[in-house]
Amino acid sequence: MKPDNKDKNDWIEYAARAGYSAKMVVYTLLGVLAILTAFGSQSSEQLSQKGVFQEILQQPFGRVLLGLVAAGLICYAFWRIVQAVKDTENTGDDAKGYIKRIFFVITGLIYGAGGVVAARMVTGNSSGGSGGDNTESMTARLMGMEWGLWLVGLLGALVLAFAFVQFKHAWKADFISKFRRGEMSQNEIDASCHAGRSGYAARGIVYLLIGVFFIQAAWTTDPQEAGGMKEVLQTLLQQPYGPWLLALVGAGLLAYGVFCGFEAKYRRTRLE
């Protein structure tokens, strides 16, 4: 009997949903850690992806839980590559479409690298380096290349562009068109819109600052000026009304985790 085409790619759909579920866990915990840090209940040193992984490890059955998160992040990396190769988002064959598909691959590799870090922590083989140290060492290596300063500056500009894409999603709520809204109640649609807007706005702020950090590193030829998630959240904490700023961004990151939960359940993922 010929297999039903509808079920042929179920395993890809399961991988995608596992990936969105892993993102839900990571962003929800990151948001919670940011809020706890804002009110003095948590060290700012934990404000990173690796800090989230360490927090998971400390829970009952932590290695099992972190192993599931690691597998989910690797599944998400696989899904992003499928999105690029199969053009699941109908980006088209023009230059803009190919840029979006390249972006899918890049973000997939980033999340896949996070999954590998989590897996290494499960097995006890983590190198122990912090996110900030890794960012600085990467920036230093780039600066050591020919045209390295321009590469770092270009990287900063690309991150800034990505930040404004996040703000666009927050403003337009265009992400909701990718959901199977026929299966959602109106309350679920409204909740996913609110969570998505808040989450994308918070991500926009984070990536805006990361882009500025890279551009500043290129301008000053100092790799220590570069920074990632932890440096952004620590910088927010050091500003006037810093705890409130950090709590606000933390709430947005938590909301993005909730949004990823809606994606895990309702986002369109089946290949046509």
Side-chain angles (χ1 to χ4, degrees):
M1 180 180 294
K2 187 177 180 179
D4 188 345
N5 287 336
K6 184 178 179 181
D7 299 325
K8 185 170 62 174
N9 296 303
D10 274 358
W11 63 280
I12 295 178
E13 182 172 3
Y14 295 147
R17 302 206 182 285
Y20 290 121
S21 297
K23 285 182 66 182
M24 173 189 70
V25 172
V26 171
Y27 274 99
T28 300
L29 288 178
L30 183 60
V32 169
L33 289 176
I35 293 170
L36 291 176
T37 300
F39 293 103
S41 301
Q42 184 77 32
S43 168
S44 64
E45 290 300 313
Q46 293 295 96
L47 294 178
S48 65
Q49 184 186 70
K50 191 166 185 179
V52 169
F53 295 160
Q54 290 170 339
E55 192 69 25
I56 295 172
L57 266 183
Q58 294 169 8
Q59 306 310 309
F61 306 104
R63 290 190 182 277
V64 174
L65 295 174
L66 185 56
L68 292 173
V69 170
L73 291 175
I74 292 171
C75 282
Y76 185 74
F78 169 75
W79 166 239
R80 292 301 262 178
I81 292 172
V82 169
Q83 284 181 297
V85 173
K86 297 292 187 180
D87 193 19
T88 61
E89 304 301 307
N90 298 316
T91 60
D93 293 326
D94 58 3
K96 183 178 179 181
Y98 280 113
I99 289 173
K100 288 182 178 179
R101 290 161 75 173
I102 290 170
F103 163 76
F104 292 155
V105 173
I106 292 172
T107 56
L109 293 175
I110 291 171
Y111 278 102
V116 170
V117 170
R120 288 174 60 85
M121 292 177 69
V122 170
T123 60
N125 292 325
S126 174
S127 63
S130 68
D133 292 339
N134 291 336
T135 303
E136 289 175 18
S137 61
M138 179 199 72
T139 305
R141 286 196 297 271
L142 284 175
M143 286 183 175
M145 300 177 182
E146 187 176 5
W147 304 100
L149 292 178
W150 290 100
L151 288 174
V152 173
L154 176 60
L155 178 59
L158 291 174
V159 175
L160 284 180
F162 181 64
F164 284 106
V165 170
Q166 305 304 294
F167 289 133
K168 185 202 76 167
H169 291 324
W171 177 257
K172 293 187 174 182
D174 49 3
F175 48 79
I176 200 64
S177 65
K178 299 175 183 178
F179 282 68
R180 302 195 307 269
R181 284 172 287 178
E183 301 176 16
M184 302 171 71
S185 69
Q186 188 58 49
N187 286 338
E188 288 175 320
I189 293 174
D190 292 342
S192 61
C193 275
H194 292 317
R197 284 181 185 273
S198 300
Y200 277 112
R203 278 164 53 95
I205 293 170
V206 168
Y207 287 110
L208 181 68
L209 290 175
I210 290 175
V212 169
F213 288 163
F214 275 108
I215 291 174
Q216 186 171 350
W219 183 261
T220 61
T221 66
D222 183 0
Q224 293 185 353
E225 293 290 338
M229 177 72 74
K230 183 173 76 172
E231 287 70 32
V232 166
L233 297 179
Q234 288 177 335
T235 297
L236 289 174
L237 187 60
Q238 294 165 4
Q239 305 309 306
Y241 304 103
W244 294 104
L245 289 173
L246 180 58
L248 185 63
V249 171
L253 295 174
L254 194 159
Y256 187 75
V258 173
F259 173 75
C260 290
F262 282 111
E263 285 191 299
K265 187 173 182 180
Y266 292 118
R267 198 186 193 285
R268 293 199 312 270
T269 57
R270 188 180 297 277
L271 302 183
E272 299 296 336

